[in-house]
Amino acid sequence: MGGATPLPTSRSGAFPAPPVGQPWHARTVDDIQHDLDTRIECGLEAEDISRRRAAYGPNALTEGRRRGPLRLLLDQCADFMVLVLLAAAVVAGFVGEPQDTVAIAVIIAANAVLGFVQEYRAERAVAALKALAAPRARVRRGGEVVAVAACELVPGDVVLLEAGSAVPADLRVVEAVQLRIEEAALTGESQPVEKGTAALGASELPLGDRTNLAYKGTLVTYGRGVGVVVGTGMRTELGRVATLLSDEEEVETPLQRRLRRFGQRLALAVLALCAVIFAVGLLRGEEPLLMFLTALSLAVAAIPEALPAVVTVSLAFGARKMVRQHALIRRLPAVETLGSVTYICSDKTGTLTQNRMRVEAFHVDGALVGAAPQARPDPWPLVLTSLALNNDAVPRGEDDGEGDPTEVALLLAAAAAGFRKRELEARMPRLAEIPFSAERARMSTLHPGAGGGVMVFTKGAPEQVLRRCTARLSAAGTVGLDVPEALAAAAEMAARGWRVLALAYRRLPGMPADRSAAVVERELTFLALVGLLDPPRAEAKDAVALCQSAGIRVVMITGDHPATARAVAGSLGIVDREDPVVTGPELARLSPEELAAHVHRIRAYARVAPEQKIAIVKALQGRGELVAMTGDGVNDAPALRRADIGVAMGRSGTDVAREAAHMVLLDDDFSTIVAAVREGRRIFDNIRKFVKYTLTSNAGEIWALVLAPVVGLPTPLLPIHILWVNLVTDGLPGLALALEPAERGVMQRPPRHPHESIFAHGLWQHAVWVGLLLGGVTLATQAAAYHGGSAHWRTMTFTVLTLSQMGHVLAIRSERESLFVQRPGPNRPLLGAVFLTFLLQLATLYVPALHPIFKTEPLSLAELIVCLGVSTIVFAAVEVEKWMARRGAGLAAPAALR
Ligand code: ATP
């Protein structure tokens, strides 16, 4: 394949198409290879791929509209209040104060740029996350199996499908082993369709009847197969129906929604207050245009229209940071929810354990041995043969393999005893198979046996295999089987924390016509038990302990044996000796009400079918718990969707689970979930701090302007001052608050209640009293300077307001701890922002060119020192507030939380 001949194309000349009158489903497997100039065994070659990609474009659906940078910038300016303010500034310019117009315009432009930069970066962060979460496909290329991003696929690519894969493009199926595909996304039919490879009639068939085609966006629910790409991107059936498909609708998070509603109500209140300020100013004989501008500036400054946007920015940046900690967020609101998680229900294998299986022991002919002995009486030869042949791992070199870790461990154990899969398969190739699935908990393969017979090898969970056995192979030949005794031996092995599999075989006279499990997997002869060790992850134990201190309960859910579950959960500190381990069959016998009544006492579940996870989630949610649930298989998807935080595995999981999940663990590690919860709490804390800071600052400004006339003072701040405070003082340090590191003790407190208001825990009281204090300090400065006859009273008032806010932002870095002892150390961006604001404030005082704009005058050193001194009052007061909170909590909280 050099790609010299162009591919046959549709009449438009743009895309590969089958010959006229011969739809893809009518072409044979050989035709397909010819039509698409590809070879199933080795796939396309590199140069061919790049040529096709250039010709046919990426395998992506046309994206929905995304706001471009210009639109984003315009959106910043389109705020109604801002427009009114601009108009008023222009009027002011005509009336005679052109500097005002320029200054206001500059500040508004700067504001717009700041908002734009934030939103643009947030959008980019979200887009980057999406790209990371993009599906991948396993393809044969240049003779190797490689994983590529699904958007890289080109017509002619040979794609491997397995249970749990999302079909990445339109494919003509060329190999199928019990391949079943759920096509609900396209046909609405939720029953999976069995796919085959044979060519179908040339006539047009409805989509659901084209059983040798697999369509982009559908899901493999069972079996495995291989398909050749016949359509990509918009040239797929999905592309045809979904001309505009944005894979993730823009969702408002609960917090954003609440803040938006709150903002709207606050806006009305602020507008009313501004009207009052305007009216009172007029009555007092102030200049009408100036009063109008003052009231309007205040409205622009104090209406917190940026709150919801700040939440997005914080969440998006938080999500970006989480990726670095191996937690990929697929849905942004999850970041917010994470902080409130009260239950983490985790799989065992691979999440709490390392998924590095190693065969520890065999139970053969009544004896437990560590490895296959040198002399191998029956049943050893068959035990080792079945380990090698009834195995889906692919051998790599002498002593390695690729595939499911359980399978690889068994492959290596057989190879170590000289039973190599490749050599055995040359003599006894796989004729048929009944694949493994978590529900069946077993798998069987069929191979040629002696004298034209067929050999069946079955392995799986001991309960599943043993009850299909009628005899046992021993050194003395086939003997009777004592099932309870064999099950007890399995339980004993499982109690050591091992995963235990039973091996069995059966000789058939020939290939059965009916190859269903019911016919093949019966009258088996039991061979042996194998015990595999999967060591717990080193970090998992600490992470479980951390959850306990953070008020989060950890529950282990496994498909494994209850004894294995107990041993592993016990070693990680999830269960105590007395705690029950509930099995799937026991769970099935409980009514939803009974489960709801007991669910909070259960810390470990074993032999659970994936479908039962959803019952556990529902029962917990019914008790008001917020549940994070992990899952990796096809059937885990409903539970992942239902959980408050569905967590899928990045390495070992299926596409289906990943697509249903809110978060993907890139390292499959339990402790990553806990790290993400910690990050969720930090982000929520910081949003709270931002809200606290903004509301308090705005309240301070409003109080100063409202109360001034009441105490007989002139308007303390000019429009330019108000806007300046809003942009510089509130803007820069406020944003830097989002970067505040997690507070010490963030994982030593109980989870936040999900319905709890962001204003809980004294936030609004703080905004009221500190706002009043801030306004009071500002007015007191004004009064003292004004009545003291200082010519600089307005400059001093303006300076005290700005600097007091700097003190406030430093004090609220921690909810409880004093700034002076706070750990972790300084948040550099915040300190930088405070310092910069301070310098800018000094510039308005001492750079002569700025005086006409800011209507300021240089303060004397004494005046400046007075301003600095007065500005520490708010800081000191908030430190006292925190001190009192610490004392109160110290008296009330249990020692562990102190
Ligand atoms: P987790 O702890 O993550 O839930 P699991 O034990 O549920 O993992 P599954 O892959 O669902 O893992 O396996 C369910 C059961 O099927 C296992 O406990 C085991 O008895 C059996 N089993 C697992 N892997 C194989 C295999 N490759 N061949 C045969 N049986 C297997």
Side-chain angles (χ1 to χ4, degrees), residues 197-483:
T197 58
L200 306 169
S203 60
E204 275 301 318
L205 289 174
L207 220 56
D209 292 346
R210 299 183 210 161
T211 51
N212 57 16
L213 292 176
Y215 294 107
K216 184 178 171 75
T218 61
L219 306 169
V220 180
T221 58
Y222 195 79
R224 58 181 181 81
V226 177
V228 173
V229 174
V230 296
T232 57
M234 295 306 283
R235 309 300 186 107
T236 57
E237 288 300 326
L238 187 66
R240 265 183 270 280
V241 294
T243 35
L244 206 151
L245 185 125
S246 83
D247 40 353
E248 192 143 332
E249 68 290 12
E250 298 276 326
V251 273
E252 216 176 22
T253 77
L255 185 60
Q256 275 173 319
R257 198 175 322 121
R258 261 187 270 156
L259 283 178
R260 184 172 49 75
R261 289 205 199 118
F262 164 77
Q264 284 165 350
R265 264 177 273 144
L266 191 70
L268 288 179
V270 168
L271 282 179
L273 276 174
C274 291
V276 171
I277 290 172
F278 177 62
V280 171
L282 284 190
L283 289 179
R284 286 167 46 91
E286 304 256 11
E287 196 190 321
L289 188 63
L290 177 67
M291 272 333 286
F292 184 61
L293 271 177
T294 306
L296 215 52
S297 305
L298 186 63
V300 170
I303 293 176
E305 71 283 341
L307 278 187
V310 165
V311 176
T312 321
V313 173
S314 304
L315 298 181
F317 286 164
R320 207 171 60 170
K321 186 161 169 223
M322 284 186 190
V323 173
R324 271 179 256 138
Q325 301 169 344
H326 308 295
L328 175 65
I329 299 293
R330 294 195 66 247
R331 300 183 217 284
L332 212 48
V335 179
E336 191 182 308
T337 323
L338 267 170
S340 305
V341 161
T342 59
Y343 261 85
I344 303 179
C345 300
S346 173
D347 282 341
K348 171 176 71 70
T349 310
T351 315
L352 289 165
T353 66
Q354 299 177 8
N355 210 3
R356 290 217 185 102
M357 302 270 178
R358 195 177 61 222
V359 171
E360 282 290 295
F362 294 90
H363 191 276
V364 175
D365 212 358
L368 193 66
V369 292
Q374 287 303 322
R376 300 196 185 115
D378 269 347
W380 278 106
L382 272 185
V383 167
L384 296 167
T385 309
S386 78
L387 283 185
L389 286 179
N390 181 5
N391 196 311
D392 283 336
V394 183
R396 211 172 36 193
E398 281 291 290
D399 51 6
D400 204 2
E402 203 191 322
D404 179 74
T406 304
E407 300 280 281
V408 173
L410 299 174
L411 185 84
L412 298 186
F419 285 68
R420 298 191 187 284
K421 181 175 178 180
R422 284 223 168 91
E423 292 160 18
L424 284 166
E425 247 180 1
R427 278 186 284 126
M428 300 174 72
R430 190 180 287 193
L431 301 175
E433 67 191 275
I434 309 177
F436 171 78
S437 73
E439 298 76 57
R440 288 175 16 89
R442 62 185 189 277
M443 65 182 274
S444 297
T445 54
L446 284 72
H447 307 263
V454 166
M455 194 74 168
V456 180
F457 289 117
T458 302
K459 78 168 189 299
E463 313 90 281
Q464 296 297 333
V465 174
L466 282 164
R467 70 185 161 100
R468 292 174 171 80
C469 290
T470 48
R472 171 171 79 85
L473 186 63
S474 73
T478 307
V479 295
L481 170 68
D482 184 342
V483 174

Side-chain angles (χ1 to χ4, degrees), residues 2 86 131 203 235 240 245 357 455 516 537 551 565 633 738 743 754 769 772 840:
L86 270 179
S203 60
R235 309 300 186 107
R240 265 183 270 280
L245 185 125
M357 302 270 178
M455 194 74 168
S516 65
R537 284 178 182 268
E743 284 193 46
W769 85 260
L772 207 55
L840 287 171

